Each structure stands twice: as C-alpha cells, then as structure tokens.
Amino acid sequence: MQKIWDSLKQRWFARELHDKLYLAALVLLLPPFLLMLFRVRNATLIDIASVPSFLCFVIGYITWWIPKFLRMWRSDIGRLPLIWLNTLLFPISAGLARMVVSKAVGLPPQSLDLTVSLLAILSFPVLWGALFYLTSVLHAVAILLIGMFFATAEGVSNSASFSTSNADSNASQEGGGRWLVNHGIGGLLTGVFIGIAIWGYTTSVYSGRFVRLAAYCLDFEYAAQYPGVDHDRRMRLLDNQYAAYAEFDWPNINITVDKLHN
C-alpha cells in the first residue's frame, strides 16, 4: 500500500501545474455528476457544485497558455503584430465609445469629448476580451479535434504494442492526446468565462446611468459669466445657439436642452 501511495505521489509531483489542475477538475466533476445521477432538480445547486471544476479547467488552460503568449510577446516577430493590433483597436474603441455616449446621453458625441475619451479607454478591455474569446474558442476547437484523434490513436497503439509503463509515460506528456483534449475543454470553458466577464463589464460600464454620471462630472460645468445660459445649473454649449443642462437627481442624471436666451 505504501509503495502504491509513493508511486501516486511521485506521479503527481512529476506533472505540470496545468495537468494537476485538469486532474483536480475531473475529480471535482463527481459532485455535480452525483447530483444529476440522483435526479436532483435544483439547477442552482448543480451549478454551484460545478463551479470548482469549471474554475480548475479555466485556470489550468490559462496556466498552460500564458507562458506561450509571453514567449510570443518577448520575440521580435510576435511583438510587432500585437503592437499593430493594439494600435488598430484605438479607432474601433473610439467609435464604440461615441456610439455608447450618444445613445446614453442623447447628445452629439463631439459635444462630450472627455466622456468619449473615458469610454474609449474603458472599451479596450472589451475589444481585447473579444479577441481573447475568439482566440480561445477557435484554438480550443482545433486542439480538441486533434486531441481526440491522437487520444484514439494512442489508445489503439498502446493496446497493441506498448507496455503499461510506456503508456503511462506517454499519457503524462503535454502533447499526449488526453491532455490535448483537456486543453480543448479548458479553452472552451475559458471562452465561456471571458464571455461572462465581458457581459458583466459592459453591463456596468456601458449602462446609461454610468455614462450620464461620467458626462455630468467631466463635460458639464458652471458658466457664471457666460450670457444667455442658466447660471445655476451645470451646462454644456451646443451648436446652433443651444445649451445642454445636467441636473443630479439621485440616482439619475437628468439632461435637458434649451435655446440660449437673448
């Protein structure tokens, strides 16, 4: 018994961190599986029981993927495309910010330049998140298909011509088919995680209340010496002899447009 335990410990410590996390994720699938096996109808309970396994798959995939991304970033060939991509994202984020601000405030976005600039900066995580989402999902599908093919091939090969010790050695390698399948599952679940994160982030940052509050703080101000405007309210001059006024009425920001007084 002690020899078996020592052998298991040796194999555990010999594995890479992402392999350990994948193994933990597979073990943690047991509680939700048992809940479904015993026909527990509480979907929330099953979802909560699935969270640890879900997170282990996601963390395992990220742990495996980040060193490869950093290796590409440190190389001259890989860094230049990433810099160009980040540069190309700026006009996209600016256009997205203008659309969000104009819809939330109801004013031309050029009248709220500081708010548009803030939303453009806050839009970068959304765009990068969308890119990482597409990358992780496409990469996961590709390695999942490759992993399933090699796992099948390894199973046939091991049963036909390899000893048990050789089979165990091959299964523990990072390029083994079973671990490619784990990477594929981890990549798909990472895509789900990124999608949920993007949804939560955009729901908060792109909400009308947040955008109007940002506009109230950044682009509306008092103009006590300017003729033709209400000096008691925060205002913003518009084209064609109009002014926009913002009033803080918790929890809302009310914005109105009036013509300048003669």
Side-chain angles (χ1 to χ4, degrees), residues 160-177:
S161 60
F162 286 98
S163 65
T164 303
S165 60
N166 287 333
D168 291 338
S169 175
N170 289 335
S172 65
Q173 293 177 358
E174 182 179 323

Side-chain angles (χ1 to χ4, degrees), residues 115-157:
T115 307
V116 170
S117 298
L118 175 64
L119 265 294
I121 295 172
L122 295 178
S123 295
F124 263 86
V126 178
L127 298 177
W128 274 110
L131 287 175
F132 284 131
Y133 170 81
L134 291 174
T135 302
S136 64
V137 170
L138 293 177
H139 182 246
V141 171
I143 61 177
L144 188 60
L145 294 175
I146 295 172
M148 292 173 65
F149 172 78
F150 279 107
T152 303
E154 284 174 0
V156 174
S157 177

